[in-house]
Amino acid sequence: MALDDVSVQDGQCPPQALCTFDDPSMCGWRNIAGDNFDWTRSSGRTGSSGTGPSNDHTYGTNQGYYMYIEASSPRTKGHKAWLESPLFKPTAGKCLRFWYHMLGNAIGRLNVLVKVGNNRGNPVWTMTGNLGNAWRVGEVTVKSASQFKIMFEASVGTSFTSDIAIDDVLISNGACAKPGDCDFEKGECTWINAKTDNINDNFDWIRATKTASAGTGPSADHSTGTRKGHFMYIESSWPRQWGEKARLESEVLPPTTGQCMQFWFNMNGLHINKLSILLKVIEQSESRVWTYGGNRGVNWIQGQIPIKSAKPFVIVFEGTSGYSYQGDIAIDDITFSTSSVQCAIIPADAKPFGCNFEFSNCNWRPGFTFSSYKWKRQSGLQAVQSKFGTKIDHTIGKASGSYIFVNTRGYPSSRATLTSPAITFNGTKVLKCLEFAYHMHGASVNYLDVYARSTSTRNRRSVWNRRGTQGDRWILADVQLEITEPINIIFEARNGSQYDGDIAIDDIDLKEGSCPSA
C-alpha cells in the first residue's frame, strides 16, 4: 500500500466531480425546503410496479444506490421534489453529465436548473414522457458568472407510475458537445451501444483508430485525416455471422419541427452488407429513414437525413455484418443542425424501402381506378380540419405526424393501390419480413390487401388481408416473405358502399430474416 501528495487546506473541500450516491453522504447533494416532498436514496427496485429502475446505473445491480422520487400516495400530479448540489465557483462552461430513468405510463417531468443565490432560473435541460426501462444519458452545459448550485427538479405525473431516478452525476471542466454531436476523439460522447437482445442487436460498435482486419475499413479517421484519430466501426470478423446487427444509439433528443443530421461513413470491403439509420420514438415506433449497402471504396462518404418528431426520440445507427471479415463499416463526425434550407437525403439513393411518410411518400407510388379514391398523404392536423382520416399518426403518436390513407368517399368497389420500390433478388432464396402499421375504422371500411407482384411476369399473389373496421386504433402487422424473384409489394384498399370510414398505413419497413410472429 502506498500514499503520495497528501495536503490539508483551509475551508470546505471542493464538490466531488462524480457522485454515484453509494456514499450515504450523497457527496453533498441534499434535499431542500420549499418543494412538496423529498428525493429518496435507494437500491434495487422502487416501491411500485411498472415504474422506476430495477438496479442502479453504476454497477447494474441491486447493491448500488441511486436517487429517485416515489410518486405513490400521498403524492399528487404536479408535486415537485428538489435535489441541490454543493456550491460551485463561477464558470464559463462546465459539462453536467448524468444518467436518468423514466419508466411509467404517467411520467411527469425532470428538469435541471442552475440556482444563483435564491434564484432558480429557467430549466437548462428538460425531459418528459415514458422512456422505457432503461437508464438514459443526459448532458448539458452549465454557465454562471456567480457562484451557483445545480438542482434536479422532478415532478409527479398523473398516477403512481411516474417514479423518476438519477445516478452517476458527473461535472467536468469545459462545455458539453451539442446534443447528438460527436467526433469520437475523446470518447463516444452520448452515443451508447444498445443492449444485446439477439434480435435487433447481436454485438457492439467499437471505438478505434483502425480496424482489426486487412482489406476493409478506413485507412484514417475523418476528423483528423490521420491514423491517430478515432471513429466507430463494426468488426465483421469471426464470430460474426452474415446479417448480424450492431446498434449505436444517441441520447434521447428533444422534439423538433425540423433538423438535419450529417455524418461521414466508410464502407470499404469486398463483403460489405449495409448501414441503416432508424428514427426511434421510445415506446411508440421505430422507422428506417436511411439505408446504404455494398462496397463503396476506401474514401469517407458524406451522409445526411432530415429529422422531424413531435416527441422525444433516439437516432440509431444499425450496422449489419457481411459474409466475411472484409465487411467492416465505420462512421465519424456526427452533427445536428437546424436550417431553413431543405435537408435532402444524401446519398440520394440511400432512401430506404420503407416509409414513415413524415416528409413524403418516399418511393411508394399511389395508383387508383377513380381519381376520387386514392391514397393520400396527410397529417393528423389535416384530418381534424377535413374530418377524414385518423387524428394521430403511428410514428410519433401526435396530430403533427403524417401517414398515408384512403377514405370511402368514392365510387363503390373502387380500388386504390400503393406500390413499393422493387425488392431485388440475388439468385438465392431469402426470407424477409414486411412490417407496417394499419388503421381501419368506420362502418363502411371494406378490404385492405397486401400482394407480392413479380416485376417480370406481373403476376401477383395475396400475402395478407383484413376486412371491415378494426377499431379506432393503430395495429402493427408483419408478413413473412420468401423472396425467389424480384417483386413489388402492393397495398390495395377496396372501397365500401357508404361514406363512413378510412384506411391508413404508416411506418412500412422491410427486415432481413423471419418475422417475430413466425
Side-chain angles (χ1 to χ4, degrees), residues 183-185 208-209 218-231 300 332-333:
D183 62 10
F184 302 107
E185 293 308 310
T209 57
S219 58
D221 87 321
H222 180 264
S223 309
T224 68
T226 70
R227 293 180 181 272
K228 295 182 179 181
H230 291 80
F231 52 83
W300 286 96
D332 202 1
D333 292 331

Side-chain angles (χ1 to χ4, degrees), residues 262-298:
Q262 295 182 330
F263 58 98
W264 292 82
F265 65 96
N266 179 283
M267 300 174 71
N268 174 37
L270 293 177
H271 299 130
I272 294 289
N273 198 324
K274 64 181 176 182
L275 174 67
S276 297
I277 300 174
L278 299 97
L279 175 70
K280 183 177 180 181
V281 182
I282 301 168
E283 300 293 302
Q284 177 69 35
S285 69
E286 184 178 277
S287 50
R288 200 171 305 271
V289 294
W290 187 98
T291 190
Y292 212 52
N295 182 5
R296 301 293 173 171
V298 298

Side-chain angles (χ1 to χ4, degrees), residues 433-436 438 463-464 466 476-480 515-518:
C433 182
L434 174 69
E435 297 181 342
F436 59 95
Y438 67 97
V463 294
W464 183 94
R466 290 292 183 274
L476 290 173
D478 59 36
V479 181
Q480 190 69 67
C515 292
S517 63

Side-chain angles (χ1 to χ4, degrees), residues 51-268:
T51 188
S54 302
N55 298 304
D56 81 325
H57 176 262
T58 313
Y59 303 109
T61 71
N62 59 10
Q63 301 301 307
Y65 285 81
Y66 56 87
M67 300 296 294
Y68 88 104
I69 63 162
E70 175 55 60
S72 301
S73 179
R75 304 283 70 86
T76 60
K77 181 182 178 182
H79 275 190
K80 292 176 180 168
W82 294 334
L83 187 68
E84 184 180 87
S85 75
L87 189 65
F88 287 92
K89 293 180 180 180
T91 179
K94 285 183 179 290
C95 184
L96 170 66
R97 180 185 176 97
F98 57 97
W99 291 81
Y100 63 99
H101 192 283
M102 298 173 70
L103 167 67
N105 294 328
I107 287 290
R109 184 176 293 274
L110 177 64
N111 291 327
V112 176
L113 304 104
V114 177
K115 182 181 177 182
V116 178
N118 292 320
N119 180 16
R120 294 191 303 275
N122 295 319
V124 295
W125 182 97
T126 188
M127 187 60 64
T128 188
N130 183 3
L131 301 182
N133 189 17
W135 285 98
R136 308 279 179 183
V137 64
E139 277 192 355
V140 63
T141 298
V142 176
K143 299 178 181 180
S144 178
S146 305
Q147 290 184 319
F148 67 95
K149 296 179 179 180
I150 294 169
M151 288 180 60
F152 284 98
E153 177 186 75
S155 59
V156 175
T158 56
S159 83
F160 72 91
T161 58
S162 57
D163 294 353
I164 295 173
I166 61 170
D167 200 3
D168 295 334
V169 179
L170 174 66
I171 300 166
S172 55
N173 292 326
C176 307
K178 289 172 58 181
D181 286 10
C182 198
D183 62 10
F184 302 107
E185 293 308 310
K186 296 180 180 179
E188 292 87 1
C189 307
T190 54
W191 291 82
I192 60 172
N193 278 296
K195 180 182 283 188
T196 298
D197 61 7
N198 292 322
I199 299 174
N200 293 313
D201 185 273
N202 307 97
F203 64 109
D204 286 346
W205 287 77
I206 302 168
R207 177 175 170 265
T209 57
K210 63 179 180 179
T211 64
S213 306
T216 187
S219 58
D221 87 321
H222 180 264
S223 309
T224 68
T226 70
R227 293 180 181 272
K228 295 182 179 181
H230 291 80
F231 52 83
M232 298 295 291
Y233 86 103
I234 62 164
E235 175 56 60
S236 195
S237 302
W238 188 90
R240 301 279 67 84
Q241 301 294 317
W242 180 88
E244 289 187 335
K245 298 178 179 65
R247 287 190 165 194
L248 188 69
E249 297 187 345
S250 73
E251 64 183 287
V252 179
L253 297 165
T256 176
T257 56
Q259 275 188 308
C260 196
M261 186 184 81
Q262 295 182 330
F263 58 98
W264 292 82
F265 65 96
N266 179 283
M267 300 174 71
N268 174 37

